[in-house]
Amino acid sequence: MFISETHLPQVLTPQDYTSEDQYRRELEQLFLPGWHCIATFSDFPQDGDFLTIELLDHPLILWRSGDEYHTFLNVCPHRFARLHGEPCGHAGERLKCQYHGWEFDCSGNTQKIPDAQSFKPMKKGALGLTKYRTETCGQLIFVTLNDEAPSLREYLGTGFEIGETLCGPERRLAATLDYEIDTNWKCKVENSLES
């Protein structure tokens, strides 16, 4: 049964769903400038726990240090190896590259270089991790890959207070669903909006 007798015209062309150029424009203009919810507090039961994800073609590592959450490019600046390849784990007080054992603090600064005497003297912090802005709303953890992005509170507007309420400390995560859909992102959004 239809509620309306009219049908809205199609605004997007088929190419808007399949064009690589269109996808790159959407990536640059919509997704890279924004904030993305990538985890919840419950993903990090212990201080020192980490989680690795791919976000918009960026391998990331999210790490809990005390009551703070830090997001870095999951790539060691020494030989460009992944710091960690597993989806989650415990790093302890420092992130450590699994290749040559370089260690990094919660600012991304290099703290230990095994066999450091073999390297020419470097200025402290010269080869640190690439760090991304990470903020929370309730128990949700967000990251942006854009240094110019507004604060998370500004970006979400009135949604920030809603998130604080719905995902507050008195709530607990009941379930998570993680799945990939082999389609353009607009198909999933449009499908959800139709219901």
Side-chain angles (χ1 to χ4, degrees):
M1 168 180 233
F2 292 103
I3 296 173
S4 175
E5 302 263 336
T6 62
H7 177 30
L8 295 175
Q10 296 292 335
V11 178
L12 300 176
T13 68
Q15 290 75 25
D16 290 324
Y17 295 88
T18 59
S19 164
E20 183 66 25
D21 289 339
Q22 176 67 20
Y23 171 70
R24 291 288 157 209
R25 282 194 300 277
E26 292 165 353
L27 200 61
E28 292 295 322
Q29 295 175 18
L30 294 175
F31 298 116
L32 288 173
W35 284 91
H36 305 276
C37 184
I38 59 171
T40 67
F41 290 1
S42 62
D43 293 315
F44 304 89
Q46 299 178 57
D47 182 17
D49 285 352
F50 71 85
L51 178 73
T52 62
I53 65 164
E54 291 278 332
L55 177 66
L56 307 174
D57 300 326
H58 290 71
L60 302 178
I61 184 163
L62 178 58
W63 176 45
R64 176 181 167 192
S65 178
D67 289 332
E68 296 182 345
Y69 299 88
H70 307 277
T71 307
F72 302 96
L73 190 64
N74 188 16
V75 176
C76 181
H78 173 222
R79 292 285 182 225
F80 308 112
R82 294 277 170 113
L83 295 172
H84 289 280
E86 55 275 5
C88 60
H90 186 78
E93 294 181 7
R94 293 182 181 160
L95 288 177
K96 181 178 180 181
C97 179
Q98 302 305 295
Y99 189 38
H100 286 117
W102 285 35
E103 296 181 17
F104 305 90
D105 65 15
C106 62
S107 295
N109 293 323
T110 307
Q111 293 299 306
K112 181 179 179 186
I113 300 174
D115 196 29
Q117 66 274 10
S118 297
F119 294 91
K120 68 179 184 175
M122 289 185 283
K123 189 166 76 170
K124 190 169 182 150
L127 286 179
L129 298 175
T130 300
K131 187 170 186 174
Y132 297 103
R133 289 172 49 207
T134 307
E135 296 183 23
T136 62
C137 176
Q139 297 182 62
L140 304 176
I141 304 168
F142 289 78
V143 67
T144 182
L145 304 177
N146 179 3
D147 291 335
E148 306 298 318
S151 70
L152 179 61
R153 181 180 290 274
E154 290 175 83
Y155 184 78
L156 293 179
T158 57
F160 190 87
E161 286 76 28
I162 295 168
E164 291 266 283
T165 302
L166 293 178
C167 302
E170 67 285 346
R171 307 282 179 124
R172 70 177 184 81
L173 183 65
T176 59
L177 299 173
D178 187 16
Y179 53 91
E180 287 187 30
I181 300 170
D182 189 20
T183 187
N184 184 284
W185 68 272
K186 293 183 286 294
C187 292
K188 175 61 178 149
V189 171
E190 289 170 355
N191 230 306
S192 299
L193 292 175
E194 285 179 358
S195 58

